[in-house]
Amino acid sequence: SSQGRCIEPTCAISVIVPTRNRVVLLRRMLATVHSQSFTHFEVVVVDDASSAATRAAYDDLWSTLDDRFHLIQIGEAGGTGAGPSVARNTGIMAARGQVITFCDDDDFWTSDAHLAALAEVFDSALDVDLYIANQRAVRCNGEVEREDWLPALADMMRHREAASGHGYRIGIDELVRSGGFAQLNIVAVRKHLALGIGGFWNRTSYEEDRDFFWRAADSARAIFFNPARVAQHNVPDPAGQNNLSRNFSQAERWLLSALVSQHIAMSVKQAPIRELCHRYEGDILRRLSQHWSAQGKHALGLHYARRALAARGSLKWALYTGLLTCRQLARGGKA
């Protein structure tokens, strides 16, 4: 059993939790860490400029916890937050563990054996730098949006011999073909890898998790996938006051997604990840083209159509771009 131990006495697992004005949800999340069967961990909660009332409530919350739980406060109370990338990087720099994992304050772990399993994998497979588990995604009305986070990856593994009782060693090609990235609630990395890739990209507060994940996967010596469902991701309510994406319009979100894809592509060494990002960027640019054309901004629609064609060419899209070009010429080049 790996309960209560890790590779070395100094190899505690550090759990990084960014938070802002969600003390009730944070209490629920921390309770699921407190109940873990593996006990050699620390939790680094980074409060990102929460209100004075929220910060005052921490005294009561911390009275229910023990000395493994630490609170770092950044920014002035009620001020403009630095964003989740800065908050997580603050936690990574403060972490004492050799293995780092994450959980968002509005999500939680559903398995008390989560840390025990990942500790055993890192303990027994010293070349594993990145660990992925599984989770369920639930909407704000309680409806399950996704029963499994990476179903295609789990399907690939069904006929493969497991590397251990906890799962499988996987390659970059398989991870790319699975069609998605592992959200941070179910990711663990060695601290030296997180530091080696520069942590989270401080320039973005949108899709920073996707950016970090693919750069980490690119640098990992080996990747391990545990298909066990260990967490619940609560899909943010689009109308929620604390939903960060509400700060951006749909067009801005697409632009940021394209920018993140470009950042990943220019940062990684492995071609399959770069190609995945180019394809994803092409899909996003197509949406932007169709969005602006539907809004009557035809010149802008054509601009993004051409960019999409360069990022992800196809005969069908080339014909669509040609049609937009002809329409634009017929209008005399006007928007």
Side-chain angles (χ1 to χ4, degrees), residues 12-306:
I13 296 170
S14 296
V15 185
I16 310 299
V17 185
T19 190
R20 177 177 167 87
N21 291 327
R22 293 200 280 216
V23 68
V24 173
L25 295 174
L26 177 65
R27 181 187 295 269
R28 178 186 66 180
M29 182 268 143
L30 294 179
T32 68
V33 183
H34 195 272
S35 64
Q36 291 292 303
S37 61
F38 180 90
T39 59
H40 193 49
F41 67 81
E42 66 170 0
V43 179
V44 182
V45 176
V46 183
D47 175 277
D48 185 13
S50 289
S51 67
T54 296
R55 289 186 165 182
Y58 288 144
D59 286 341
D60 178 62
L61 172 55
W62 250 256
S63 71
T64 68
L65 304 170
D66 55 54
D67 59 8
R68 296 172 298 177
F69 293 76
H70 312 284
L71 176 64
I72 299 174
Q73 297 180 351
I74 60 175
E76 295 295 325
T80 301
S85 292
V86 172
R88 293 192 185 99
N89 284 338
T90 300
I92 290 171
M93 295 304 297
R96 295 174 296 178
Q98 293 182 28
V99 173
I100 292 175
T101 189
F102 308 90
C103 195
D104 288 345
D105 59 357
D106 57 338
D107 299 328
F108 56 89
W109 292 338
T110 56
S111 169
D112 291 346
H114 174 43
L115 292 184
L118 72 87
E120 189 169 310
V121 169
F122 281 110
D123 193 9
S124 61
L126 299 183
D127 62 337
V128 168
D129 287 331
L130 176 63
Y131 172 97
I132 307 165
N134 195 3
Q135 70 177 357
R136 174 187 291 114
V138 179
R139 295 177 182 166
C140 56
N141 61 4
E143 180 183 345
V144 175
E145 181 174 286
R146 295 165 69 171
E147 192 63 41
D148 293 294
W149 192 255
L150 290 174
L153 185 58
D155 287 342
M156 287 181 199
M157 299 299 113
R158 293 193 195 284
H159 303 296
R160 177 183 297 184
E161 183 178 354
S164 76
H166 295 301
Y168 310 85
R169 297 169 72 95
I170 59 172
I172 286 293
D173 286 346
E174 293 168 322
L175 193 56
V176 167
R177 289 202 312 273
S178 71
F181 72 97
Q183 200 253 2
L184 290 174
N185 297 334
I186 52 176
V187 166
V189 299
R190 294 194 190 271
K191 183 177 179 180
H192 68 75
L193 182 146
L195 293 174
I197 64 172
F200 288 80
W201 187 26
N202 282 339
R203 298 295 185 184
T204 185
S205 58
Y206 186 73
E207 292 199 352
E208 76 289 340
D209 50 353
R210 181 167 67 93
D211 178 85
F212 177 85
F213 175 78
W214 285 116
R215 290 188 295 110
D218 177 67
S219 294
R221 291 171 296 173
I223 303 170
F224 193 95
F225 172 57
N226 181 352
R229 192 180 299 116
V230 301
Q232 177 169 310
H233 170 54
N234 295 302
V235 179
D237 181 356
Q241 290 299 312
N242 288 325
N243 180 5
L244 192 62
S245 65
R246 290 180 73 247
N247 296 331
F248 309 109
S249 68
Q250 179 60 72
E252 288 173 327
R253 290 197 290 272
W254 283 329
L255 279 173
L256 290 168
S257 291
L259 180 62
V260 167
S261 294
Q262 292 171 18
H263 185 256
I264 299 168
M266 78 176 193
S267 303
V268 299
K269 301 180 292 293
Q270 302 200 50
I273 302 176
R274 191 178 305 115
E275 291 163 5
L276 174 70
C277 289
H278 287 324
R279 291 196 302 271
Y280 185 70
E281 180 189 358
D283 290 341
I284 293 297
L285 294 172
R286 290 182 185 192
R287 293 180 188 176
L288 277 164
S289 172
Q290 293 166 337
H291 170 79
W292 291 122
S293 292
Q295 297 289 321
K297 297 185 177 181
H298 303 293
L300 204 51
L302 176 58
H303 169 76
Y304 282 107
R306 288 170 173 165

